[in-house]
Amino acid sequence: MPKKQKFPYLVGSRWTAQQETWGWRHFQVVNRKNEGQWVFAEMVAACDPTVRFWLNARQLKDRKLWRSGWQTMQEMGIDSKAAGIPDAFTAEPPDSIEGDRSP
């Protein structure tokens, strides 16, 4: 019987860093590498594809470091004003834009 693959759904998964990492919080796994007993994930920043790094996939299980999915600052319980983030980046988008006539 073949061994069960560790982290079978790793590639394509999205993650939010609990702290800014290379200036960003939202990342996606674009590649995986198995080296012996270790599994590594290549992370790419959602807003800047030039920001790439490898990490041990086990770190993604540590909720002090990472949360699965792309979380908002509010969902993470972080005060955006205390973090120095302008309101323009945290405001909810309007439901509709006046004058928008698209179907």
Side-chain angles (χ1 to χ4, degrees), residues 55-67:
L55 62 76
N56 185 327
R58 267 199 156 152
Q59 289 184 329
L60 296 173
K61 289 187 171 187
D62 187 343
R63 293 206 25 112
K64 291 181 223 146
L65 300 174
W66 295 93
R67 288 199 182 181

Side-chain angles (χ1 to χ4, degrees), residues 10 13-17 21-22 25-32 40-46 48-57 59-60 66-67 70:
L10 189 60
S13 61
R14 296 174 176 181
W15 298 86
T16 301
T21 305
W22 282 284
R25 287 188 186 264
H26 296 122
F27 295 88
Q28 186 165 3
V29 178
V30 294
N31 201 359
R32 70 177 282 144
F40 294 92
E42 183 179 16
M43 309 293 284
V44 175
D48 184 356
T50 65
V51 176
R52 304 171 85 90
F53 60 93
W54 288 89
L55 62 76
N56 185 327
Q59 289 184 329
L60 296 173
W66 295 93
R67 288 199 182 181
W70 289 342

